[in-house]
Amino acid sequence: MNQPQICMTLTGKTLEENLRLVSKYEKQIDLVELRVDHLNEDEQLYARKFPSLTKFPCILTIRRDIDGGLFTGGEFTRTTLFGRALAFANQDGAKNFAYVDFEEDYHIPSIQDAALAFGVKIIRSFHNMTEPVYNLKARCDSMRKTGYEIPKIAFMPKKLSDVVNMFKEGASITEYEHIFCAMGVEGFPSRILSAFSNSLLTYTSPAELIGNTSGIGHLDPITINSLYNFRSISKDTSLYGITGWPMEKIISPEIHNTGYKALGLDSVYFPLRSPLVSEALNFAETLGMKGLSVSVPHKESVLFYVHEQSPEVAQTGSCNCVVRKGTKWVGYNTEVIGFKKALDEFLGNRKIKHKKVAVIGAGAAAKAICYVLKQMGAKVCIFNRSIAHAKQVAEKYGFSYCQLEPSCVQTLDEYSDLIIQATSVGGSSLEQPEVIDPIPFYTFRGDELLFDVVHKPAITPVMRRASLAGCRVSNGYKMLEYQAYEQFKLFTGHNYEI
């Protein structure tokens, strides 16, 4: 199969708007799809001239609302629009539509015959906007009524294994061209790894109109090229990624893929979102992935599936990185070294041996932090809303613990030489856009050091309060960066800093 192409879906309201976008992204795309159903009604009548106004091959699509489009008129009106757009074929084939997208149940012989007579390839599509689709190869075979159609199947997976099935079936179709798209956040890998499903193309949307396809999961052309290096991905490309849920905002693909590009490595790193780590590992094994970063909430549950553990994992009970060695997964905790390097950089010449340190939180990040603090000889008290969780972590290292509530303020003040905010509550997310201060009851004196593991936003509410009081503060970006460098080395054997 040939290298998959990048198709930019045009959902502007006018032909002029769409042409401007084609001009802007012309270096990042191979063909375009004109979504006539998104055009203003008067503009729809002039869709025929669009191919002659651009140098790219064009797909003609008039998508019905039941298939995720905006067209709500009857089939007679839609057929008329198809007819107008395909009529009066130019002798120069480049000035005609190169493809037309007809749904699986749309069969108008006169329109189909006209398309074939004019050399327009027919994409025969099926969309399920709410459910996965199985038996894809058999369905593709049945959709090719004349033997010339290019079958397209787009569906909404319910779980990552639905996407795994898509890749398995796509890999078995080599005798004719086809297009496979898994939608939504769990379907994201299908956009990046089209080469692994033998898909003819991947769909993108211009950044200016990405909201029109937000539920589908399109990337913009610049991101798919510059961040994921799509044109260079083949079945020989080494695959790495990060798994977690929901993973709304992540920066590790930028860190890892920048490193691969700088070192000339044929590798790609991408998000693999799933609420179940078992699904992510099954995906990774099926596609031959060599390593995964592990994000929340999987850092502890992944331990059930690793065959070997690094000493840091064994000590902390938390794993944020797995590497495939033969048929086994080996688990690592790179947050330990990431935090140690970031903390040393933040402290400078200061030492925390015998100093009293407060750790806010008792989750996976706090476990890695406590492991480091124990090695550094600090006296630590763990503060957590669940006193049982705080006790569990504290007793492992001989630390003190206290319930995180206003009544603990005196104890927090006692352990305030260095305060480490190790929970996610100080960060923002789609579900929690309002950033929270985890210790609003504590009044900073100005001589404390505050390290917040959150990196987005760069300045959290507790950091702002501490800074205004005169405290030195740091967010968690450097910790994230250093632990990513360590994972990069585990994956590739190369030092990222080089």
Side-chain angles (χ1 to χ4, degrees):
M1 305 295 284
N2 295 326
Q3 184 71 14
Q5 297 179 301
I6 297 174
C7 177
M8 184 168 71
T9 297
L10 300 169
T11 56
K13 294 184 177 181
T14 67
L15 297 179
E16 182 180 356
E17 179 186 3
N18 287 324
L19 287 169
R20 286 198 303 269
L21 292 168
V22 172
S23 178
K24 176 179 178 179
Y25 292 99
E26 63 180 2
K27 293 182 179 180
Q28 283 83 33
I29 60 176
D30 301 304
L31 70 162
V32 297
E33 177 189 35
L34 179 64
R35 287 288 298 272
V36 176
D37 51 300
H38 278 260
L39 291 172
N40 292 332
E41 192 171 344
D42 57 334
E43 289 276 315
Q44 293 177 352
L45 302 175
Y46 300 99
R48 171 68 189 87
K49 65 180 183 180
F50 188 80
S52 65
L53 300 176
T54 177
K55 63 182 180 181
F56 291 99
C58 298
I59 301 174
L60 169 65
T61 301
I62 311 174
R63 185 74 66 225
R64 302 173 299 197
D65 56 343
I66 59 171
D67 297 308
L70 296 184
F71 192 82
T72 56
E75 286 297 78
F76 177 81
T77 303
R78 197 164 72 110
T79 298
T80 301
L81 287 175
F82 272 128
R84 287 181 63 100
L86 295 171
F88 308 107
N90 197 295
Q91 289 186 344
D92 181 358
K95 294 184 179 180
N96 303 323
F97 282 100
Y99 303 86
V100 60
D101 187 318
F102 294 142
E103 292 81 11
E104 181 186 32
D105 60 353
Y106 181 84
H107 294 282
I108 307 296
S110 59
I111 298 295
Q112 294 173 188
D113 292 345
L116 293 172
F118 298 154
V120 181
K121 295 181 179 180
I122 296 175
I123 297 173
R124 186 66 68 182
S125 63
F126 174 77
H127 299 80
N128 193 320
M129 309 304 293
T130 59
E131 298 289 335
V133 178
Y134 304 107
N135 300 318
L136 282 81
K137 187 178 187 306
R139 187 150 202 155
C140 285
D141 291 342
S142 67
M143 289 165 70
R144 302 178 74 242
K145 300 296 184 184
T146 66
Y148 295 104
E149 294 100 330
I150 300 171
K152 171 192 173 185
I153 297 178
F155 64 90
M156 185 66 71
K158 289 292 187 181
K159 52 188 182 299
L160 203 52
S161 55
D162 297 330
V163 186
V164 171
N165 178 67
M166 183 210 75
F167 278 106
K168 285 181 178 178
E169 297 220 37
S172 70
I173 305 176
T174 58
E175 62 271 29
Y176 54 79
E177 294 178 326
H178 62 276
I179 303 169
F180 281 172
C181 307
M183 297 181 281
V185 295
E186 287 174 285
F188 183 90
S190 73
R191 308 291 175 176
I192 303 296
L193 305 179
S194 300
F196 284 76
S197 64
N198 289 328
S199 186
L200 173 65
L201 55 84
T202 191
Y203 290 94
T204 63
S205 287
E208 294 84 346
L209 302 176
I210 202 82
N212 293 343
T213 55
S214 59
I216 298 175
H218 283 192
L219 290 167
D220 69 87
I222 292 178
T223 296
I224 203 170
N225 280 299
S226 63
L227 179 55
Y228 294 104
N229 204 21
F230 177 85
R231 297 186 195 277
S232 297
I233 298 174
S234 71
K235 292 179 181 178
D236 295 325
T237 300
S238 297
L239 305 182
Y240 304 95
I242 177 170
T243 187
W245 187 264
M247 288 203 310
E248 296 151 356
K249 295 290 184 180
I250 50 175
I251 64 172
S252 49
E254 183 175 356
I255 294 173
H256 286 263
N257 288 326
T258 298
Y260 301 150
K261 193 177 296 185
L263 291 171
L265 301 177
D266 184 12
S267 304
V268 66
Y269 180 105
F270 57 92
L272 193 59
R273 298 177 175 90
S274 175
L276 296 175
V277 72
S278 58
E279 292 262 326
L281 293 173
N282 177 53
F283 181 103
E285 291 166 11
T286 302
L287 270 75
M289 296 182 69
K290 296 182 177 181
L292 278 174
S293 306
V294 181
S295 186
V296 293
H298 302 328
K299 295 180 184 181
E300 295 174 352
S301 58
V302 74
L303 294 176
F304 291 101
Y305 304 95
V306 299
H307 304 87
E308 298 177 22
Q309 300 179 7
S310 71
E312 292 81 6
V313 172
Q315 284 293 317
T316 63
S318 175
C319 173
N320 75 325
C321 176
V322 292
V323 178
R324 192 72 169 167
K325 294 187 178 180
T327 60
K328 297 180 178 180
W329 289 107
V330 180
Y332 298 89
N333 188 316
T334 65
E335 287 180 318
V336 169
I337 192 169
F339 173 69
K340 179 65 166 59
K341 286 186 175 182
L343 183 62
D344 284 342
E345 192 173 294
F346 175 56
L347 293 175
N349 294 325
R350 298 194 188 192
K351 304 297 180 184
I352 61 169
K353 187 174 184 179
H354 305 311
K355 298 292 185 181
K356 290 192 171 182
V357 179
V359 175
I360 312 299
K367 290 176 180 179
I369 288 167
C370 287
Y371 177 75
V372 173
L373 294 175
K374 181 66 174 181
Q375 292 179 324
M376 298 176 76
K379 296 180 179 180
V380 178
C381 185
I382 300 172
F383 298 82
N384 194 61
R385 285 196 174 94
S386 167
I387 191 69
H389 290 162
K391 179 182 179 182
Q392 183 181 26
V393 177
E395 289 185 341
K396 184 170 186 176
Y397 297 104
F399 293 160
S400 301
Y401 59 93
C402 187
Q403 189 161 23
L404 184 63
E405 58 183 12
S407 63
C408 78
V409 67
Q410 187 173 347
T411 307
L412 180 56
D413 184 66
E414 180 186 350
Y415 284 86
S416 62
D417 291 332
L418 169 64
I419 299 175
I420 301 173
Q421 199 294 109
T423 74
S424 61
V425 299
S428 61
S429 66
L430 294 178
E431 286 83 11
Q432 185 67 60
E434 185 178 345
V435 184
I436 299 172
D437 184 338
I439 49 172
F441 49 80
Y442 181 77
T443 302
F444 289 95
R445 300 182 305 274
D447 58 352
E448 302 97 334
L449 298 174
L450 174 70
F451 188 101
D452 195 331
V453 299
V454 170
H455 68 276
K456 186 177 179 62
I459 301 175
T460 62
V462 69
M463 287 174 62
R464 182 176 293 106
R465 283 201 305 115
S467 183
L468 289 174
C471 302
R472 284 189 60 230
V473 302
S474 174
N475 65 22
Y477 182 81
K478 281 295 182 180
M479 177 181 173
L480 174 71
E481 193 173 36
Y482 288 136
Q483 64 90 16
Y485 293 170
E486 187 67 14
Q487 290 182 10
F488 186 89
K489 186 175 182 179
L490 289 170
F491 291 160
T492 69
H494 295 279
N495 289 318
Y496 191 94
E497 290 85 343
I498 296 176

